Amino acid sequence: MLDANLVNQLKAYLEKIAQPIEIVASLDDGEKSLELRQLLNQIVEQSDKISYREETDNTERKPSFRINRVGSDISVAFAGIPLGHEFASLVLALLQVGGHAVKFDESTIKQIQSLEGDMLFEVYYSLSCQNCPDVVQALNAMAVINPRIRPVAIDGAINQDEVAKREVMSVPAVYLNGEVFHHGRASVEELLAKLDAGDSEAQADAINQREVFDVLVVGGGPAGAAAAVYAARKGIRTGVVAERFGGQVLDTMSIENYISVVETDGPKFAAALEEHVKAYDVDVMNLQRAEALIPGKEIQLKLSNGGVLKAKSVVLATGARWRELGVEGEQKYRNRGVAYCPHCDGPLYKGKDVAVVGGGNSGVEAAIDLAGLVNQVTLLEFGDQLRADEVLQRKLHSLPNVTVITQAQTTQVLGDGSKVTALQYTDRSSGESHDIALDGVFVQIGLVPNTEWLKGSIDLSKYGEIEVNDRAQTSVPGVFAAGDATTVPFKQIIIAAGQGATAALSAFDHLIRSSVEEEEEVTA
């Protein structure tokens, strides 16, 4: 199951186990159970602090297993074979249940410990989903801190009957005590915010107590992180406000073009960004949504919780999000057949019929990936030809289960009230309307900047992008912008990071010039 190199790495990790743990497996005679038994036996062989037994007379999912701390109520469970992206979740679970410290700050640990009631979390994942491990690992760590939390991570590909019964059509999908709790990636802070909303007034008061920042960065993606690091290195008071640190990078499957980093994935890259920022004296305020920018000598940033931050200069790095179709049925069937991440949700459509809307690189890549999983892929492109790179188009056209329809304007997502059943489009050359019977629609039509909240306070292009010059200056003095939210062409991680550095250096230059002007006014 595991190659020799991986076994050696695993053995080194498992030496950190401080307390004895027990793996309890629930298996049958199926092929997947045999594979899981092989994997678990390899694990047990690597540490004398791990014991193993099998239970056959129970109603648990098969194959599945629990990891228990001996002599305690601490336990986490997996229903499936956690390899792929979830292998790291398995290793962490073994270590943390085995007494290795959970790396949360003290306030987070106290918040988890204070949660009351018995909580059974069921997390549906796919092995190709890069966002799923964050949720699985967060809940497993929470269970180690508070034993009343019981998580089970469920492989949707292995437990297809259960997925179909619950109509799980996107991952990660989280159920709490049998009820839908959350869809999509989430950090421990985000999960806690949903479990324990706390006092919003107190949160706003805490925001309001902060002193004026020299540079306040809005956004925690590559542009925001770079701006924060460059500003902090100047020794000035720096803050970061982010709705979710990492931004759109968290939803990126693979990164292979960031110079000096040969290959990584989005969540790892985002974690490295956050670690780099926190290595400096930066006040990071995560899970905070900006609501309004109020220009002035002291620029004010109003947050959705009512808090207001003040700064001498601001760097806007709010990034972009997936563009939506904007047609009837899209929102109604979101996560119920309408999806935006083929890598995450593709395995849930195995053997089914799906459509991909969008003929650029992302759309064609999605169709190619899905073709290896589903029964039939129909790719719809609004224009009269695909816009993807030629090499991708050649690969796409070589696939027998892919149909390409150009000049197709998507007009409606149809469903039966609970899930998608068809996609309606208009042939732009003939004006005729057509329905395609299918089970899923993957939307891949580009990005839209997160700038709606800035309308009226700063100059935006007709596409909603923040207008900037070559020094990252905006139309408002003291306000700079960087990354995918701006008019700078080529939305790439490395370009966003470079822009973030430019914006921070320009902000610093602005602070120096402003202070000189103030001194001249005083002495005049």
Side-chain angles (χ1 to χ4, degrees):
M1 177 69 69
L2 302 178
D3 61 36
N5 183 48
L6 199 54
V7 168
N8 288 334
Q9 292 181 45
L10 179 63
K11 184 178 180 64
Y13 280 123
L14 297 184
E15 288 177 357
K16 299 176 183 178
I17 292 178
Q19 300 182 44
I21 60 178
E22 177 188 46
I23 296 177
V24 183
S26 179
L27 309 174
D28 55 23
D29 295 329
E31 180 182 345
K32 292 299 181 181
S33 287
L34 295 176
E35 290 180 20
L36 180 57
R37 180 184 286 122
Q38 182 182 355
L39 172 63
L40 296 179
N41 282 331
Q42 279 188 297
I43 291 171
V44 172
E45 290 170 359
Q46 309 313 312
S47 174
D48 58 7
K49 288 188 172 67
I50 306 176
S51 60
Y52 174 79
R53 63 185 173 90
E54 295 182 9
E55 291 181 345
T56 55
D57 187 20
N58 60 50
T59 58
E60 293 188 39
R61 301 172 180 90
K62 296 180 176 61
S64 66
F65 64 98
R66 303 189 308 276
I67 305 172
N68 304 327
R69 180 180 294 178
V70 175
S72 79
D73 294 329
I74 295 172
S75 179
V76 304
F78 292 86
I81 307 172
L83 296 174
H85 285 294
E86 292 300 338
F87 185 67
S89 301
L90 170 59
V91 175
L92 272 174
L94 291 165
L95 293 176
Q96 291 171 347
V97 175
H100 191 64
V102 176
K103 294 182 178 179
F104 293 158
D105 60 57
E106 189 173 341
S107 63
T108 300
I109 291 173
K110 287 182 178 178
Q111 192 175 358
I112 295 169
Q113 290 171 335
S114 68
L115 294 174
E116 298 179 353
D118 294 324
M119 290 166 277
L120 172 63
F121 284 97
E122 297 167 293
V123 186
Y124 292 90
Y125 69 85
S126 68
L127 293 180
S128 59
C129 170
Q130 76 272 24
N131 292 324
C132 295
D134 286 345
V135 179
V136 172
Q137 291 169 23
L139 289 171
N140 285 351
M142 289 168 64
V144 171
I145 294 168
N146 185 340
R148 299 190 73 173
I149 298 171
R150 290 297 179 101
V152 53
I154 305 163
D155 186 342
I158 290 180
N159 297 276
Q160 288 188 351
D161 290 343
E162 186 175 334
V163 164
K165 183 178 179 180
R166 277 184 160 170
E167 296 184 346
V168 176
M169 306 187 79
S170 68
V171 290
V174 185
Y175 284 71
L176 171 56
N177 295 335
E179 300 293 330
V180 175
F181 175 73
H182 180 78
H183 275 99
R185 183 194 176 276
S187 64
V188 65
E189 292 85 2
E190 290 169 297
L191 294 171
L192 283 171
K194 297 191 73 169
L195 286 168
D196 181 20
D199 188 340
S200 59
E201 187 175 337
Q203 294 176 24
D205 286 342
I207 290 289
N208 294 335
Q209 294 300 316
R210 283 172 162 82
E211 297 178 5
V212 177
F213 289 96
D214 291 313
V215 175
L216 179 61
V217 180
V218 187
V229 168
Y230 268 75
R233 285 176 61 86
K234 294 295 185 181
I236 56 180
R237 179 166 166 73
T238 305
V240 174
V241 174
E243 193 169 342
R244 59 169 188 161
F245 205 99
Q248 192 192 352
V249 164
L250 292 165
D251 303 321
T252 303
M253 180 66 176
S254 179
I255 299 170
E256 299 177 347
N257 56 359
Y258 195 88
I259 306 306
S260 83
V261 180
V262 176
E263 192 278 331
T264 186
D265 61 45
K268 287 181 182 177
F269 190 84
L273 290 178
E274 187 168 10
E275 183 180 5
H276 197 171
V277 170
K278 289 183 175 179
Y280 293 91
D281 186 16
V282 176
D283 186 353
V284 177
M285 294 159 278
N286 202 11
L287 306 183
Q288 301 292 339
R289 180 192 289 268
E291 194 173 76
L293 180 75
I294 305 171
K297 189 172 183 180
E298 276 190 359
I299 302 161
Q300 296 183 41
L301 185 74
K302 185 178 179 181
L303 305 180
S304 59
N305 64 7
V308 177
L309 294 166
K310 298 178 180 179
K312 297 176 183 177
S313 67
V314 170
V315 174
L316 299 171
T318 51
R321 62 187 183 277
W322 290 115
R323 186 181 299 277
E324 298 177 350
L325 292 168
V327 301
E328 184 179 347
E330 180 179 19
Q331 292 304 317
K332 181 177 181 178
Y333 293 106
R334 191 183 183 108
N335 296 322
R336 293 190 291 167
V338 175
Y340 301 85
C341 180
H343 303 292
C344 299
D345 301 331
L348 300 176
Y349 295 84
K350 185 177 181 180
K352 298 181 179 181
D353 295 340
V354 303
V356 174
V357 182
N361 281 351
S362 60
V364 171
E365 287 173 349
I368 292 170
D369 290 342
L370 289 166
L373 295 168
V374 305
N375 177 58
Q376 177 69 32
V377 179
T378 302
L379 187 147
L380 292 90
E381 161 59 29
F382 183 85
D384 57 5
Q385 61 184 4
L386 299 181
R387 295 167 287 108
D389 294 342
E390 182 63 30
V391 64
L392 292 175
Q393 292 192 44
R394 288 200 301 270
K395 174 63 176 178
L396 181 75
H397 290 305
S398 73
L399 300 173
N401 62 335
V402 175
T403 300
V404 176
I405 303 175
T406 56
Q407 297 199 66
Q409 180 177 358
T410 303
T411 54
Q412 187 175 357
V413 178
L414 305 171
D416 60 9
S418 62
K419 63 182 184 299
V420 168
T421 59
L423 181 70
Q424 185 178 90
Y425 75 93
T426 297
D427 185 329
R428 295 175 56 241
S429 61
S430 67
E432 295 180 356
S433 180
H434 302 273
D435 290 355
I436 306 172
L438 43 70
D439 303 285
V441 179
F442 289 85
V443 182
Q444 301 283 288
I445 55 173
L447 303 171
V448 58
N450 296 316
T451 57
E452 292 87 349
W453 63 284
L454 291 167
K455 289 179 180 178
S457 62
I458 201 166
D459 287 352
L460 304 176
S461 73
K462 64 179 181 179
Y463 302 109
E465 298 169 321
I466 303 169
E467 293 185 346
V468 293
N469 62 15
D470 58 358
R471 296 175 65 86
Q473 293 171 315
T474 71
S475 61
V476 176
V479 179
F480 305 83
D484 288 2
T486 73
T487 50
V488 172
F490 310 121
K491 312 305 185 187
Q492 297 289 315
I493 292 173
I494 195 165
I495 293 173
Q499 273 194 277
T502 297
L505 294 174
S506 292
F508 182 67
D509 183 65
H510 168 78
L511 293 173
I512 294 174
R513 293 175 184 273
S514 297
S515 63
V516 170
E517 290 172 0
E518 289 176 3
E519 289 179 3
E520 290 176 346
E521 289 177 3
V522 171
T523 57

